[in-house]
């Protein structure tokens, strides 16, 4: 049984990815179907970016590197204006982590150009992220 036989014509047709055929090589299909997106903020490091790029390359996935810092900064500014003070990692660790996480989510529901047919399904999946972990303060009751 050839590896391509696991990709029946109906499955490929239902995906609605232009140019994808049931007899395409598996590597080509993986490149078209698996997309990794690294979404950097000011807290992201070159090491984590390079690690994400290597993971995507080892899988044969398409890799995108997006700078989402302007979006995170905009959300942060809006919240600082609403609460009337600057947010700090010492006082607002969980809130600032949430801002970064929520900033990264919208890109994950996009589709590459030419894939507008069929039901709306997330096409870009969140990239493997290696966030900088900070100590969180938990209040126990």
């Amino acid at each position: 049984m050839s590896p391509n036989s696991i990709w029946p014509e109906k499955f490929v047709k239902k995906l609605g990815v232009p140019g994808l055929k049931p007899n395409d090589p598996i590597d080509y299909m993986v490149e078209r179907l698996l997309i990794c997106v690294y979404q950097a903020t000011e807290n992201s490091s070159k090491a984590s970016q390079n690690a994400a790029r290597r993971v995507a390359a080892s899988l044969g996935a398409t890799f995108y590197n997006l700078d989402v810092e302007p979006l995170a900064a905009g959300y942060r500014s809006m919240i600082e204006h609403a609460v009337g003070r600057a947010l700090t990692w010492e006082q607002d660790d969980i809130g600032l982590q949430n801002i970064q996480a929520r900033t990264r989510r919208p890109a994950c529901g996009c589709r590459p150009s030419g894939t507008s047919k069929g039901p709306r399904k997330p096409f870009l999946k969140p990239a493997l992220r290696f966030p900088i972990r900070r100590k969180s303060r938990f209040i126990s009751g």
Side-chain angles (χ1 to χ4, degrees):
M1 179 192 295
S2 129
N4 286 337
S5 66
I6 65 172
W7 299 96
E9 192 169 317
K10 275 181 150 180
F11 177 73
V12 171
K13 185 177 179 180
K14 189 169 185 166
L15 286 174
V17 178
L20 198 63
K21 299 175 194 74
N23 58 345
D24 283 335
I26 296 296
D27 291 351
Y28 176 76
M29 288 188 180
V30 169
E31 180 184 353
R32 294 294 311 240
L33 298 174
L34 182 59
I35 300 171
C36 297
V37 183
Y38 183 80
Q39 300 178 69
T41 65
E42 67 182 6
N43 299 306
S44 302
S45 70
K46 277 290 185 195
S48 63
Q49 178 189 29
N50 291 336
R53 187 183 310 276
R54 285 192 307 270
V55 167
S58 71
L59 296 171
T62 298
F63 179 81
Y64 294 109
N65 181 19
L66 304 179
D67 178 9
V68 297
E69 178 56 33
L71 300 173
Y75 280 120
R76 183 177 179 159
S77 175
M78 187 171 32
I79 294 167
E80 288 174 339
H81 179 71
V83 299
R85 66 175 178 81
L87 301 178
T88 66
W89 284 104
E90 292 74 26
Q91 188 174 352
D92 307 295
D93 181 53
I94 300 298
L96 289 169
Q97 287 184 49
N98 280 327
I99 289 169
Q100 289 185 62
R102 300 314 175 263
T103 300
R104 290 178 173 124
R105 183 59 187 138
C108 301
C110 299
R111 295 181 189 172
S113 174
T115 57
S116 60
K117 292 170 48 177
R120 179 125 181 98
K121 297 176 192 162
F123 204 88
L124 297 180
K125 302 296 180 191
L128 293 173
R129 291 190 286 269
F130 306 93
I132 297 171
R133 297 283 181 192
R134 291 182 170 77
K135 289 185 179 179
S136 298
R137 295 189 185 119
F138 295 99
I139 301 171
S140 59

